[in-house]
Amino acid sequence: MMQVIIPIVLITIIISSQTSYVHTFNTYITTYTNCVNKRPIHSSIHSSIQPSIQPSIQPSTIEDDRANHTTDHTTDHTTDHTTDHTTLQSDILYTSQLLSYKCAETNLLASLSTINPPPLLPLNVRGQLERNLPPQPLPQGTTLVSSFLSNLGLSYNSTPSSGLSFVRLLSSGSRYKLHGGCTSFAPPKRTLVGVVDGWDVALLRDRLDVGSRLSMLLSDEGDRAKGKKVARLLAEIDNEGTVYIRGLEVKQEMRGKGLATLITAVFCKFCNMAFGYYPKTVVINKPGICATLEKMGFEANFKKFPVYVKVDRDTGTTLMCHRNHVVDLGPQFPHAVCRAQNIELVRNHPEGGKLIHVLSSFEPPEISECDPVERRLQEADVTVFTARSVAFMATVENARDRLFANEGEEALR
């Protein structure tokens, strides 16, 4: 009797399992079809679609785009929200590159031709949206991504809140090969990201370490010839997204004009907009850089080497003496270092010298509306090209994810 019952039970279990499997499979197919019909998901800002599967590009409106993104989800809500949030970040980065790179102009123009109504202001301005907008202050707490979206919305229909919907339109329509345009962009090594007091502000990717190191340059506005820069700040971003200033240089004949504090303030403001904090520094041994940092409110972590410094304006030589004048700085500043940095060690405090700390890393000032960085920039005329700035930071691996760390979910809906 048991020999008959066991096969019957097994057959019943198998049939039940097959029925459950078929039901699960049909549910998956239905869910997948619904997701595909809603909107393709792009996993990378450099993704491309093969011509054989290109959909036809139809005229789009912001209202149509919003409708496509408000349909019911049949999959897990947490998974859908995470996927949509990640995709939206990718679309924002892609759109910034689309607006900024010369090789993307064909794609951009073709995509703009499908949008109804068309933008109020021209968008094929190589990422310099702000040149067509009224001057706007950069208040404390303004983020780079939110400023980009706001300026994009103002350029489209004078409504800052429409920038995100417009990003969806541009990114979805431009990912396909249109009229021979490119779908993945080779970023330039150097990107103009703003103008301050008539000086071009550019970001430069490091030749050897493109994932973490970059430089900020000041040069004559409109003159980007090699060797025309007047100031340069070196920086790096570690794996956790912390930014460090590595060095600072001002052209010899341009020193004493406030360019060192200007480029430091601009870089600090840029980091605050992009990541929500001011940069720290690595250990700095150059007295000129240490003096600039302390003037901008940075505080030395190690105060073992307090020194008096004074620059001889006639020769450009930095006179330096330890606060305790009997302490010999020779071991820390050998002859080769002094010659390279144009330093002269003296036994007595130079008259009119300034007390600073050397051979130390530095912590930035606390961010506020009246901190030294903000006070320095109140004296300057600053314009940040947000599209270009976002596009550049998207190419620096250690900076890319940090761009959205301070963007609330409400801002990216």
Side-chain angles (χ1 to χ4, degrees), residues 252-315:
Q252 181 67 42
E253 57 268 27
M254 299 299 295
R255 294 178 181 177
K257 298 183 179 181
L259 293 180
T261 56
L262 179 61
I263 193 173
T264 302
V266 171
F267 185 74
C268 288
K269 183 67 174 181
F270 185 87
C271 290
N272 188 24
M273 291 182 64
F275 311 119
Y277 52 79
Y278 289 156
K280 301 180 180 181
T281 80
V282 299
V283 174
I284 304 293
N285 71 337
K286 294 185 177 181
I289 300 178
C290 296
T292 297
L293 292 171
E294 293 195 1
K295 186 175 182 179
M296 295 304 299
F298 284 72
E299 185 173 353
N301 288 318
F302 311 106
K303 300 184 178 181
K304 186 177 179 180
F305 295 98
V307 298
Y308 282 95
V309 295
K310 181 182 179 181
V311 177
D312 187 325
R313 295 302 179 189
D314 296 330
T315 63

Side-chain angles (χ1 to χ4, degrees), residues 1-8:
M1 187 64 178
M2 291 297 294
Q3 294 176 348
V4 176
I5 292 175
I6 291 174
I8 292 175

Side-chain angles (χ1 to χ4, degrees), residues 72-145:
D72 293 334
H73 294 279
T74 59
T75 56
D76 181 75
H77 292 289
T78 302
T79 303
D80 283 352
H81 177 74
T82 302
T83 302
D84 184 66
H85 197 70
T86 302
T87 303
L88 187 53
Q89 292 180 8
S90 177
D91 287 347
I92 291 172
L93 298 180
Y94 182 89
T95 301
S96 68
Q97 294 176 320
L98 185 70
L99 293 169
S100 302
Y101 295 161
K102 180 180 180 180
C103 66
E105 282 188 339
T106 302
N107 283 38
L108 176 62
L109 293 175
S111 183
L112 290 175
S113 67
T114 68
I115 295 175
N116 184 32
L120 296 177
L121 298 176
L123 294 180
N124 56 329
V125 289
R126 303 278 178 83
Q128 300 181 33
L129 304 176
E130 290 73 15
R131 290 195 185 275
N132 292 331
L133 297 173
Q136 303 175 62
L138 298 174
Q140 193 65 253
T142 302
T143 66
L144 192 59
V145 173

Side-chain angles (χ1 to χ4, degrees), residues 164-229:
L164 200 55
S165 295
F166 197 54
V167 161
R168 292 190 177 105
L169 293 181
L170 284 178
S171 61
S172 62
S174 301
R175 284 180 184 275
Y176 308 103
K177 292 183 178 180
L178 304 175
H179 309 293
C182 59
T183 56
S184 60
F185 312 130
K189 293 181 180 179
R190 178 174 173 172
T191 301
L192 178 69
V193 295
V195 178
V196 54
D197 285 349
W199 301 103
D200 278 346
V201 181
L203 291 176
L204 177 69
R205 293 185 298 141
D206 191 89
R207 183 178 302 176
L208 301 178
D209 190 353
V210 296
S212 63
R213 290 190 171 186
L214 64 146
S215 303
M216 176 172 280
L217 310 176
L218 287 186
S219 59
D220 289 331
E221 187 173 8
D223 189 354
R224 304 177 193 172
K226 187 175 181 180
K228 292 294 184 179
K229 62 180 180 293

